[in-house]
Amino acid sequence: MTDMRADEPALGGLRERKRRQTLQRITDAAVRLFLAQGYEATTLDAIAAEAGISRRSFFSYFRSKDDILLSLQGSFGDEVAAEVLKAPPGSTPLHAVRDALIAACAPYPADEMIVIDRLMRSSEAVQARKQASYVQQERTLFEALRERWPDPERETALRLVAMMSIGAVRLSLDALSREGGRRSLVELLGEAFEALERAI
Amino acid sequence: MTDMRADEPALGGLRERKRRQTLQRITDAAVRLFLAQGYEATTLDAIAAEAGISRRSFFSYFRSKDDILLSLQGSFGDEVAAEVLKAPPGSTPLHAVRDALIAACAPYPADEMIVIDRLMRSSEAVQARKQASYVQQERTLFEALRERWPDPERETALRLVAMMSIGAVRLSLDALSREGGRRSLVELLGEAFEALERAI
DNA sequence: TGCAAATTTGCACTTAGTGCGTATATATCA
DNA sequence: TGATATATACGCACTAAGTGCAAATTTGCA
């Protein structure tokens, strides 16, 4: 389990490294238990024990049990927003977002996404917070779009682009889970945006 | 506080009537306390005491503290869906939804909506579940649309219509709160749909 | 009135999450 | 290297939400 790659020579001091390791250990332990016994049935005591820390210390890594699952989502929204800011001149907002999204999704393996999605559905509270995070991502995306196309006249239109794009992500992820991964997320996203453009 | 109107001659038996009264008393008590001390600072013990019931009985009226606030939203989504099913022949899906939404929103007073919205923002969990309820409403709306326009070819387009419509509701409610009620929800909804149609 | 069903309640329990004080490990600098 | 500051880990006691269960009370109805 020596997880240090040659090209990442132990970033930060020992303190930071240990912290990252512990964080990973907690996440791994939690996901293992969630898959084995279900989310609700897994107590924080069990997770802490499995990760080899005290119950109290858990809360210096996560604010709540829900946050473990939510952290699996990563900082997807920010990546997309950063990409949108770099959209080449002449491109349309919708195309820029589509390309950014597809580029950002491509690296993630579908089966992992499906597992995470299934886990998240097992808790109503987590599921709800996931929906809320879409709204947050929509906001982030809108801010990026407004910075890239600052014309005040377009503001409402950009709000709609953000809304429709995040909506497309949502519909695509739903479809991915529904279909059990028969088609890739990139493919589904492409299709969703195609439908979007046909409608427009 | 005799709350019986002449045209509603005590629906149901005494049991049902008392139950509705108690439900109302709990809601009133809770909202009063939330406004006075804030959501998080108000305990279930306090709500139960204020409503004149035991803490244990509270849970035979609401599944959780969050549910009190969520219940204030009403069954908006179902009303809209029912209205969409009755859309006149020849109307387009987007117009049908727009009209249904505007009709359904009209009766609710803006200031009340703003108060509820503000209360909901005071709890992250409640706010999250509110976003989740939008997703649910989107699903309900889509089902209604598919029933009214059953052509399988249009299914994806109808999914998008549902998404954009609920999105418009979300953006309009946000704007209502942001503007503090200077413009009515009906007006804001109309504007949102106008922008939507311009984009299409 | 008397019996069945629904409602209310108290009590004990589990779990999530917080505050606080202390011990221990790591970082920094002389 | 050693002293000191700082971050981390932990134990303990606490609050508050939510559940299961069984007894007590109230209501519906014959």
Side-chain angles (χ1 to χ4, degrees):
Chain A
M1 280 282 260
T2 52
D3 204 26
M4 295 182 285
R5 303 179 201 165
D7 56 328
E8 283 178 18
L11 258 80
L14 173 59
R15 211 170 245 175
E16 260 182 74
R17 228 178 318 145
K18 270 182 87 169
R19 193 171 178 80
R20 269 196 302 273
Q21 279 175 13
T22 306
L23 189 71
Q24 193 59 51
R25 235 177 33 247
I26 297 173
T27 306
D28 291 348
V31 169
R32 210 176 315 137
L33 292 174
F34 291 161
L35 289 174
Q37 339 173 319
Y39 178 80
E40 313 276 5
T42 304
T43 67
L44 288 183
D45 283 299
I47 297 172
E50 180 87 3
I53 58 170
S54 75
R55 199 184 108 82
R56 191 64 188 80
S57 295
F58 169 86
F59 290 102
S60 81
Y61 287 91
F62 290 99
R63 284 176 52 216
S64 71
K65 189 174 152 185
D66 293 356
D67 280 21
I68 306 173
L69 285 185
L70 290 166
S71 77
L72 297 179
Q73 277 190 134
S75 54
F76 191 72
D78 297 323
E79 293 173 31
V80 174
E83 202 62 35
V84 163
L85 286 177
K86 292 185 285 180
S91 56
T92 69
L94 195 63
H95 279 161
V97 176
R98 182 198 60 187
D99 295 344
L101 274 173
I102 289 180
C105 283
Y108 297 94
D111 49 351
E112 206 173 292
M113 279 184 166
I114 292 175
V115 170
I116 293 174
D117 191 71
R118 199 155 46 84
L119 273 178
M120 285 189 153
R121 282 177 207 274
S122 66
S123 157
E124 203 192 331
V126 172
Q127 183 66 12
R129 289 190 57 191
K130 182 183 146 194
Q131 307 300 348
S133 83
Y134 282 135
V135 174
Q136 181 53 49
Q137 285 173 13
E138 185 177 316
R139 232 184 292 275
T140 306
L141 178 55
F142 167 66
E143 299 295 343
L145 284 169
R146 197 173 50 173
E147 195 172 330
R148 175 62 183 74
W149 286 277
D151 179 3
E153 293 272 328
R154 304 183 76 164
E155 183 164 314
T156 304
L158 293 180
R159 249 183 237 282
L160 292 177
V161 167
M163 190 196 81
M164 295 190 287
S165 302
I166 298 296
V169 171
R170 206 156 37 74
L171 295 184
S172 300
L173 269 175
D174 277 2
L176 183 75
S177 283
R178 247 201 329 273
E179 300 184 356
R182 272 193 297 286
R183 284 184 292 170
S184 77
L185 186 56
V186 168
E187 195 175 341
L188 291 165
L189 262 179
E191 191 177 299
F193 271 88
E194 203 182 310
L196 218 44
E197 295 189 45
R198 246 199 326 273
I200 294 182
Chain B
M1 280 279 260
T2 53
D3 203 25
M4 296 181 289
R5 303 178 201 165
D7 57 327
E8 284 176 18
L11 259 79
L14 173 58
R15 216 166 240 175
E16 261 183 74
R17 224 180 319 143
K18 269 184 87 172
R19 194 170 177 81
R20 268 199 301 275
Q21 280 175 13
T22 306
L23 188 70
Q24 192 59 52
R25 238 180 26 251
I26 297 174
T27 306
D28 291 348
V31 169
R32 210 176 315 135
L33 291 174
F34 291 162
L35 288 174
Q37 338 172 320
Y39 179 80
E40 313 276 8
T42 304
T43 67
L44 288 183
D45 284 298
I47 296 172
E50 180 87 3
I53 58 169
S54 74
R55 197 184 109 81
R56 192 64 187 80
S57 295
F58 169 85
F59 290 103
S60 81
Y61 289 91
F62 291 99
R63 285 175 52 216
S64 70
K65 190 174 152 187
D66 293 356
D67 280 20
I68 306 173
L69 286 185
L70 290 165
S71 77
L72 297 177
Q73 277 191 133
S75 53
F76 192 72
D78 297 322
E79 294 173 32
V80 174
E83 202 61 37
V84 163
L85 286 177
K86 293 185 284 180
S91 56
T92 68
L94 195 63
H95 278 162
V97 177
R98 181 197 60 186
D99 295 344
L101 274 173
I102 288 179
C105 282
Y108 296 94
D111 49 352
E112 206 172 292
M113 279 183 166
I114 292 175
V115 169
I116 293 174
D117 191 72
R118 198 154 47 83
L119 274 178
M120 287 190 153
R121 282 177 208 274
S122 65
S123 156
E124 204 192 331
V126 172
Q127 183 65 11
R129 289 190 55 191
K130 182 182 145 196
Q131 307 301 347
S133 82
Y134 282 135
V135 174
Q136 181 52 49
Q137 286 174 13
E138 185 177 315
R139 232 184 293 273
T140 306
L141 179 54
F142 166 65
E143 299 295 343
L145 285 169
R146 197 173 49 173
E147 194 171 331
R148 175 62 183 76
W149 286 276
D151 179 4
E153 292 272 326
R154 300 181 79 165
E155 183 165 311
T156 303
L158 292 180
R159 247 183 239 282
L160 292 177
V161 167
M163 189 195 84
M164 293 189 286
S165 302
I166 299 296
V169 172
R170 206 156 36 75
L171 295 182
S172 299
L173 269 174
D174 277 1
L176 183 76
S177 283
R178 246 201 330 271
E179 298 183 357
R182 271 194 296 286
R183 284 182 292 170
S184 77
L185 187 56
V186 169
E187 194 175 344
L188 291 165
L189 263 179
E191 191 176 298
F193 271 88
E194 202 182 311
L196 218 43
E197 295 189 46
R198 244 199 327 273
I200 294 181

